């Protein structure tokens, strides 16, 4: 039982820190448009998450 809990916590922890599609959008904007574009993309992602 303890082994299952430890495995579940480890898997959930990895899933929490893995970058997702939001990170890809911000990275793409930053690489193609610079720091300002990345900042605007970040604000867009945050605004979308608040809805």
């Amino acid at each position: 039982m303890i082994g299952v809990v430890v495995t579940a916590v480890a898997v959930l922890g990895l899933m929490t820190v893995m970058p997702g599609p939001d990170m890809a959008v911000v990275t793409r904007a930053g690489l193609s448009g610079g720091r300002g574009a990345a900042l605007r993309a970040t604000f867009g992602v945050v605004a979308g998450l608040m809805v």
Side-chain angles (χ1 to χ4, degrees), residues 9-34:
V9 167
V11 169
L12 292 171
L14 284 174
M15 288 176 66
T16 301
V17 298
M18 285 177 27
D22 295 342
M23 183 65 182
V25 168
V26 173
T27 302
R28 185 187 65 177
L31 290 175
S32 65

Side-chain angles (χ1 to χ4, degrees), residues 22-51:
D22 295 342
M23 183 65 182
V25 168
V26 173
T27 302
R28 185 187 65 177
L31 290 175
S32 65
R35 186 176 182 184
L39 189 59
R40 288 188 297 274
T42 302
F43 285 135
V45 167
V46 171
L49 292 172
M50 289 182 161
V51 172

